[in-house]
Amino acid sequence: MKQQKTSLLRNNAVQTLLASLLCILLGLLIGYIALLLINPAGASEAITTIIKNFMTYSKPATQLKNLGNTLVKTAPLLMCSLSVLFAYKAGLFNIGAAGQYVVGAGAGLYCALAWQLPWYLCLLASILAGAALGAVSGLLKAYCNVNEVISCIMLNWISLYAVNTLLNLVKEETSPYTLNLLNTSPGSALPSLGLGALFSGNKYVTIAIPLSVLVAVAVWVLLEKTKLGYELKATGCNKFAAQYCGMQEKKNTILTMAIAGGLAGMGAALLFLTGFEQWQCTQSSVPGMGFNGIAAAFLGGLNPLGTILSSYFIQHITNGGAYVDKTMYSAQISDFISALIIYLCGFVLFFKFTLNRWLDRRDEKRTKAAQADPQKGGMAE
Amino acid sequence: MEQTYAIEMLNITKRFPGIVANDNITLQLKKGEIHALLGENGAGKSTLMSVLFGLYQPEEGVIKKDGQAVQIRDPNDANALGIGMVHQHFKLVECFSVLDNIIMGVEPCKHGFLQKGEAREKVIALSEKYGLHVDPDALVEDITVGMQQRTEILKMLYRDNEILIFDEPTAVLTPQEIEELMQIMRNLAAEGKSILFISHKLNEIMSVADRCTVLRKGRYIGTVSIQDTNQKELSRMMVGRDVEFVVHKEPAKPGKTILEVEGMTVASKAHSNNAVKNVSFTVRAGEIVCIAGIDGNGQTELVYGLTGLEPLKGGKIMLEGQDITDASIRKRSTMGMSHIPEDRHKHGLVLDYTLEDNMVLQRYFEPEFVSKAGFLKRKAIRDYAARLIDQYDVRSGQGPITVARSMSGGNQQKAIVAREIDKDPELLIAVQPTRGLDVGAIEYIHKQIVAQRDAGKGVLLVSLELDEVMALSDRILVMYEGEIVGQLDPKTTTVEELGLYMAGAKREGA
C-alpha cells in the first residue's frame, strides 16, 4: 500500500495551464503562417510586434503608460469572462454577457452624463441593469423553459438599440459619441487612488483594475467555498438532484443569471466610467467584449483565477495588433490573430484529453516494466 | 471436445494504472450454449467484455475464434468475427423506426439510395423465426423498453452475429418481459447461436444458463455447470463467503402512526388519467409497508407525491400528525422524511460532485456544515463523509474526494442509503433500493432497512422484485392502475396470490 507519487502532469491546474499555453503557441504559429501568406516581407516583424505590445516602445515610461492602456481594457474583459464562467458553472451558457455589458454601459453612462451621479452610484446602476437583464433570461428559462442561449441572443440586440436610443440623449452634438465623461462629470469617473501615477500618469488607470481582480477572487470563493456556490453548481450539474434534495432550482437559475448579468454590467462600468472610451450611439453591432469573455473563460480553464491571466493575454495581443505596420497589413489583422487564438482555445479540453491518454499509456508501460523486472519482490508475499 | 468452442479467451490480463481489472482470466464459450458470466459490481465483467469487443487491448492472453487466434483491435473487428452485444443502456436512435435502427451502419444501398425493402423482409423473417414480435415500422421512442431490447437483439441477428453478448439484460425489464427474454435466449441457443449472459441475478442464471463462469475482484474463480450447482454455491463463489438469502427479522412491533395518506390523487405526465387515484394508507412506526406492483402502475407518482416532487391533485398527507400536503421538499426532509429515490443517477446523486459533497446533499445547510456567513465547513464535511464511508462500507477509488460518476453502481447506491439513513429519519421511503445490485450489496441494504424498522422508524418500501417484497415487508399493499387493490400479510399470502393482485385479476372488496 505504498503511496504512489502522482505525476505533476496529472494535476488538473497544471494540465489546464499547459493546454492553454499550447493553444496560445499554436494560435501564434497559425497567425504567423497567415501573415506569411498575406505579406511575407513583414510577417516576422508583425508577429513580434503583436507579442511585444507595449514593449515596442523603447522608453520605460511610455511602455508603462501603454501597459496601463492594456490593463484598462483587461478589466472589463475579465468581468465578462467571469460572467460567462459563473453561469457555466451553474449549467447555463451566458452568451448574453454581451447584452448585459451593453445595458451596464447604458445605465452607467446615463447616470453619469445626465444626472452627474457619483461614481459608486453609476457603478451600482450598471451592475443592477446587467443583473436585471440576466434575470430576464433566468426567469424565461425557469418558468417558460426558454433556452437561455436563444433569449440571450435576442436580448443582446434589444439591449443594443435600447441603449443607443437612451444614450442619444447625452451625446455630443457634432459626433455620434457620448459626452466626454471626464469633462462633463468628473465625479462620476472611477477614482484613481494614485494608481495612474504608477503608470506614468495614465489617467485612465483606476481602481477598476484591482477591483476586477478582487471580483475574480470573490467569484472563486463564492463558487468553491460557500453554500450558495454548492447549491448553484449542484443545480447546474443535475437539476433533478437539486430539486430532490429541496433546493429551489428555479430560484437558483434566476439568481445565477442575475449574478452573471451583474458581473457583465459591472464590466461595462469598469471601462466606460474611466473615460477611456465613449459610447458610439450609431453602432449597429453588439460590442465584442461579452463574446470575447467566452473565449477568455475557456482559455482560463474555467477557473476564476485562470481567467485573470487569460483575459490579460487576450487583451495583450489585441492591443499589440494595433502596432502592426498598417502599410503592410489591414487594420483588422490584430483581430484576426486574436480570433485565431481564441478559436484554438476550444482545443484546451482536447489537449487535456490527449495528454491524459498519453500519461495512461506511459503508466501502463511502466507498470508492465515494473512487473517484469522485480517480480521476485512481488511474489514474496 | 476440441473445436467445440465458439470463442475462447485464454489467460486474459488487463491492467489499469493502480489496478488489475482482469487477472489471468479464462472464458470458454461453447457453440450453442448459454454461458453466464457472474460477478459482483466491479469484479471485472465489463472489462472482460470490452476486451472481447475490442474496446481494450489485453496485456496478456489470447482470444481464439473457432480455435484460431484472432486480434480484436476495435468493435469493427469484433463485428467481422460475428460478435454482437446488447449493451445495458441501449444504443438506439429514439426518433428512428425499429428498421432504421437495425440497418444503421450496414444500410443496403444502391447508387447511394437506401434499399429498405429487402432489409425489411429479412428483419420480419428473423423476428418471426426467434419469436421476437417486433414491428419494424414503429418508432423506437414509442415502444416499450422490452421491445427496444428486442430491437437490439435483431440488430445483432441482422448482422449474422454468431456470438451474442447480453450485458445485464434483465435490469430494465418487468418480470413478464424477463420471462419472455429467457425464452428468446433459449430459442437463439437452440438455433446454434452462442450466448454470453452477464448477470448477477442468480435465479435467472439458474433458469437459463448451461454453464457459468464466476469472477471475483478481477480474478477467475471457476466455471461450473449449472446442472451441478445451486444458488448457494454460486453466490459463495461470487462473494467469497456464504450469503444469507433469508432476511432475519423479528415480528414487527408497530407503534404510533407516522404517515397517514388520505384520498391522494396525483396527475399523470404521460396521459390525461390520474396516475394515482384516491389512495389512502398509513405507515406506523416499527413496520415495513411495501408497495408491490408491476412497473408503471402509479408507484413512481405515488412517491413523487409523498416526497413533494409532484404536487397533489387531491388528498391529504400527514407526517407525525402534521399536515405536509403543501410543504416544500426541504420541509418534509427536515421533518424527518428520507427518500432513497428510484433513479439514483437522475435524483439521487450529483454525479459530477465528489462523494463527500454528495454525502451532505440533504444536510449541507445545517449549522454543522455551514457557517453563519454561508461558508461551507470543508473539514466537517470531509470528516462526516469519511465516517459514513467507513460505517456503511462505501468503496471508491479515492475516498471522500472520489467523483461520484466514477464509482460503481452498487457503491453509489450504498452512498445514498448511508446518506438517507444517517439523517435519522422518522419515515424512510425506499424505492427499488437494491435495483441492479449484487447479492452482497442487497443483503447489506436489506439489513439496514430492517435495522431502521427495529429502531422504531416507519419504512415505506416500493419494489418490483417479488422476492424482496416477500422477504422484507410486514404488510403488502398492491398497486394496480393507480389504486391500492389489496392489502396482504406476507406471512399468509403466496407469490401466486400476490401476482394475481398485481395483474389486476383479483381485488379486495370488489
Side-chain angles (χ1 to χ4, degrees):
Chain A
M1 284 297 283
K2 63 181 172 196
Q3 190 73 38
Q4 276 235 326
K5 199 172 157 270
T6 41
S7 164
L8 188 65
L9 289 172
R10 287 271 181 199
N11 184 299
N12 192 30
V14 175
Q15 281 189 355
T16 307
L17 192 67
L18 278 178
S20 300
L21 288 176
L22 196 59
C23 284
I24 290 169
L25 275 177
L26 264 178
L28 290 173
L29 186 70
I30 296 176
Y32 177 62
I33 293 168
L35 288 169
L36 275 178
L37 290 174
I38 298 168
N39 189 344
S44 313
E45 205 199 317
I47 200 86
T48 39
T49 311
I50 289 173
I51 297 170
K52 277 164 95 179
N53 185 355
F54 55 87
M55 302 288 278
T56 45
Y57 295 100
S58 50
K59 276 203 314 204
T62 326
Q63 284 185 358
L64 262 180
K65 190 159 187 173
N66 283 282
L67 169 64
N69 284 346
T70 303
L71 290 177
V72 167
K73 288 199 78 172
T74 300
L77 180 60
L78 174 55
M79 295 302 300
C80 286
S81 76
L82 289 172
S83 166
V84 173
L85 174 144
F86 187 82
Y88 193 85
K89 289 276 182 184
L92 297 164
F93 190 53
N94 183 23
I95 202 168
Q100 293 142 12
Y101 176 84
V102 168
V103 293
L109 280 177
Y110 192 79
C111 289
L113 300 175
W115 298 326
Q116 272 102 45
L117 293 178
W119 64 272
Y120 45 89
L121 289 182
C122 298
L123 181 65
L124 191 67
S126 293
I127 295 172
L128 290 178
L133 192 70
V136 171
S137 294
L139 274 164
L140 286 170
K141 167 93 179 176
Y143 288 102
C144 310
N145 203 20
V146 176
N147 189 307
E148 76 277 8
V149 174
I150 308 289
S151 68
C152 278
I153 290 175
M154 295 199 283
L155 284 171
N156 283 349
W157 291 100
I158 295 171
S159 315
L160 176 71
Y161 290 109
V163 166
N164 276 348
T165 314
L166 177 74
L167 292 185
N168 229 0
L169 303 172
V170 288
K171 84 177 183 67
E172 291 173 341
E173 271 173 42
T174 52
S175 82
Y177 291 96
T178 50
L179 295 166
N180 183 307
L181 177 85
L182 298 183
N183 295 338
T184 315
S185 172
S188 303
L190 293 169
S192 160
L193 289 184
L195 287 170
L198 290 177
F199 291 86
S200 328
N202 187 333
K203 63 182 172 181
Y204 302 115
V205 175
T206 62
I207 57 161
I209 295 155
L211 204 57
S212 62
V213 173
L214 274 181
V215 173
V217 176
V219 165
W220 180 79
V221 170
L222 177 66
L223 282 172
E224 300 300 325
K225 302 286 173 197
T226 69
K227 181 183 130 186
L228 183 66
Y230 177 91
E231 280 203 6
L232 294 184
K233 282 193 294 177
T235 311
C237 291
N238 183 349
K239 67 173 181 181
F240 296 107
Q243 189 196 12
Y244 154 82
C245 72
M247 295 176 188
Q248 292 169 293
E249 86 283 5
K250 284 190 165 69
K251 192 195 94 186
N252 285 351
T253 300
I254 300 164
L255 188 62
T256 300
M257 285 307 287
I259 292 176
L263 288 168
M266 181 172 168
L270 294 189
L271 179 66
F272 287 99
L273 293 182
T274 62
F276 188 77
E277 272 185 19
Q278 289 154 281
W279 184 268
Q280 188 194 343
C281 300
T282 53
Q283 57 184 309
S284 58
S285 66
V286 181
M289 196 65 87
F291 300 119
N292 289 347
I294 300 172
F298 281 91
L299 185 64
L302 289 168
N303 180 309
L305 308 180
T307 55
I308 300 177
L309 298 176
S310 65
S311 300
Y312 173 75
F313 173 76
I314 288 182
Q315 204 51 55
H316 181 89
I317 52 162
T318 310
N319 272 34
Y323 300 114
V324 171
D325 189 344
K326 296 291 174 347
T327 57
M328 288 187 159
Y329 298 102
S330 65
Q332 283 80 18
I333 199 71
S334 63
D335 285 344
F336 175 66
I337 303 286
S338 52
L340 272 176
I341 291 169
I342 289 165
Y343 185 77
L344 279 159
C345 297
F347 289 79
V348 168
L349 288 176
F350 172 76
F351 287 130
K352 275 170 90 171
F353 177 74
T354 318
L355 181 67
N356 271 323
R357 277 267 292 264
W358 177 76
L359 282 173
D360 285 348
R361 287 223 190 98
R362 196 186 62 173
D363 284 4
E364 223 168 275
K365 271 189 197 142
R366 277 189 187 165
T367 31
K368 225 173 172 177
Q371 272 174 345
D373 194 24
Q375 214 164 24
K376 275 162 196 140
M379 296 292 274
E381 284 178 55
Chain B
M1 281 297 282
E2 282 193 16
Q3 292 301 316
T4 54
Y5 291 120
I7 263 290
E8 289 175 274
M9 301 181 78
L10 303 171
N11 309 100
I12 300 290
T13 296
K14 174 70 199 168
R15 298 186 190 91
F16 292 111
I19 187 168
V20 186
N22 285 166
D23 186 359
N24 194 15
I25 288 176
T26 293
L27 176 72
Q28 292 171 308
L29 176 65
K30 285 183 192 165
K31 273 209 173 79
E33 78 164 338
I34 300 178
H35 193 117
L37 182 59
L38 175 68
E40 287 188 283
N41 299 314
K45 297 175 301 213
S46 301
T47 307
L48 189 65
M49 286 308 107
S50 298
V51 168
L52 182 56
F53 215 57
L55 295 168
Y56 293 137
Q57 299 303 311
E59 272 89 35
E60 286 160 38
V62 277
I63 300 175
K64 285 185 181 176
K65 164 107 199 289
D66 299 324
Q68 299 281 321
V70 288
Q71 279 280 337
I72 305 177
R73 283 179 214 89
D74 55 47
N76 291 334
D77 284 357
N79 196 31
L81 290 168
I83 302 171
M85 184 157 175
V86 175
H87 295 268
Q88 197 176 351
H89 301 283
F90 306 145
K91 315 231 177 264
L92 298 172
V93 181
E94 297 254 309
C95 58
F96 272 21
S97 74
V98 168
L99 179 65
D100 289 342
N101 268 289
I102 291 170
I103 62 173
M104 204 188 310
V106 290
E107 304 89 349
C109 281
K110 209 177 259 176
H111 314 301
F113 290 98
L114 276 176
Q115 306 287 321
K116 284 202 212 168
E118 238 171 85
R120 195 160 179 280
E121 275 165 35
K122 184 173 174 185
V123 167
I124 291 172
L126 284 170
S127 172
E128 272 173 21
K129 183 172 172 189
Y130 296 101
L132 294 170
H133 309 297
V134 175
D135 172 10
D137 301 316
L139 289 185
V140 165
E141 61 193 357
D142 296 336
I143 60 180
T144 63
V145 174
M147 281 292 169
Q148 291 180 3
Q149 188 173 58
R150 292 175 188 192
T151 306
E152 285 279 7
I153 296 172
L154 272 172
K155 244 162 98 177
M156 300 192 294
L157 297 174
Y158 184 80
R159 286 161 177 72
D160 299 318
N161 288 153
E162 290 299 320
I163 294 141
L164 314 179
I165 307 171
F166 287 82
D167 187 4
E168 305 204 5
T170 59
V172 291
L173 301 182
T174 63
Q176 286 77 4
E177 286 175 327
I178 291 174
E179 196 36 62
E180 287 167 16
L181 175 69
M182 298 284 150
Q183 194 49 47
I184 292 168
M185 287 169 71
R186 287 187 199 106
N187 292 347
L188 290 167
E191 292 286 333
K193 305 281 184 192
S194 313
I195 295 177
L196 258 175
F197 174 43
I198 306 171
S199 181
H200 46 232
K201 289 190 184 160
L202 297 169
N203 52 353
E204 290 167 7
I205 290 176
M206 291 304 294
S207 90
V208 76
D210 300 308
R211 293 194 304 149
C212 178
T213 293
V214 185
L215 305 184
R216 185 166 77 228
K217 291 181 183 158
R219 293 219 173 82
Y220 174 75
I221 302 300
T223 301
V224 290
S225 175
I226 292 299
Q227 288 170 340
D228 312 329
T229 189
N230 54 41
Q231 291 205 18
K232 216 173 170 74
E233 189 193 344
L234 283 179
S235 68
R236 196 185 309 119
M237 287 173 79
M238 171 163 80
V239 187
R241 62 184 165 84
D242 280 319
V243 177
E244 295 182 38
F245 288 103
V246 185
V247 181
H248 286 287
K249 59 184 177 89
E250 304 295 313
K253 296 185 209 74
K256 64 179 171 39
T257 301
I258 299 273
L259 176 76
E260 199 174 349
V261 179
E262 252 181 56
M264 176 167 160
T265 302
V266 183
S268 167
K269 290 221 156 145
H271 47 77
S272 54
N273 277 341
N274 291 326
V276 180
K277 299 164 192 159
N278 195 19
V279 162
S280 304
F281 63 92
T282 57
V283 178
R284 288 166 294 173
E287 71 170 348
I288 298 175
V289 176
C290 185
I291 308 266
I294 296 169
D295 197 10
N297 274 286
Q299 301 98 315
T300 304
E301 290 84 357
L302 176 85
V303 171
Y304 281 5
L306 283 176
T307 53
L309 284 167
E310 285 281 334
L312 295 196
K313 229 175 140 182
K316 205 166 123 185
I317 309 169
M318 308 277 281
L319 183 65
E320 292 201 289
Q322 274 183 278
D323 190 338
I324 57 159
T325 313
D326 298 315
S328 70
I329 297 173
R330 176 68 49 84
K331 180 96 195 341
R332 294 176 206 224
S333 169
T334 49
M335 278 176 68
M337 184 189 279
S338 267
H339 175 197
I340 298 171
E342 182 175 3
D343 189 334
R344 56 177 167 260
H345 288 171
K346 186 179 177 188
H347 286 119
L349 294 167
V350 179
L351 286 173
D352 292 316
Y353 266 18
T354 56
L355 179 55
E356 61 178 10
D357 280 354
N358 272 297
M359 285 295 202
V360 292
L361 201 56
Q362 299 278 24
R363 300 187 57 179
Y364 68 93
F365 48 86
E366 291 176 12
E368 192 185 339
F369 301 113
V370 68
S371 71
K372 278 210 182 87
F375 287 89
L376 293 173
K377 295 180 183 167
R378 276 282 155 210
K379 190 175 178 313
I381 293 174
R382 175 73 47 92
D383 292 347
Y384 178 71
R387 177 170 76 71
L388 289 195
I389 289 168
D390 189 46
Q391 196 175 330
Y392 292 85
D393 190 28
V394 182
R395 287 177 217 167
S396 61
Q398 298 155 282
I401 57 164
T402 314
V403 175
R405 190 182 291 283
S406 69
M407 292 164 57
S408 72
N411 282 302
Q412 289 176 343
Q413 186 71 10
K414 274 187 178 175
I416 295 173
V417 170
R419 180 182 73 207
E420 297 303 317
I421 286 181
D422 203 76
K423 229 177 91 201
D424 196 23
E426 292 308 315
L427 174 71
L428 174 66
I429 300 176
V431 189
Q432 300 250 65
T434 58
R435 174 148 93 173
L437 302 189
D438 57 68
V439 283
I442 290 174
E443 181 193 25
Y444 181 83
I445 287 173
H446 282 175
K447 273 189 184 155
Q448 295 297 330
I449 289 175
V450 173
Q452 284 298 299
R453 182 200 73 160
D454 292 344
K457 320 286 187 187
V459 179
L460 182 70
L461 175 74
V462 178
S463 179
L464 303 176
E465 312 260 350
L466 285 185
D467 296 341
E468 187 166 79
V469 173
M470 295 301 277
L472 277 183
S473 58
D474 297 314
R475 211 144 52 86
I476 302 173
L477 305 173
V478 186
M479 261 188 110
Y480 176 71
E481 293 194 338
E483 292 174 277
I484 290 180
V485 292
Q487 172 166 320
L488 303 167
D489 182 346
K491 285 193 279 295
T492 56
T493 190
T494 60
V495 175
E496 286 73 29
E497 191 185 6
L498 193 54
L500 288 176
Y501 278 98
M502 283 165 65
K506 201 172 168 184
R507 62 187 300 160
E508 261 169 21

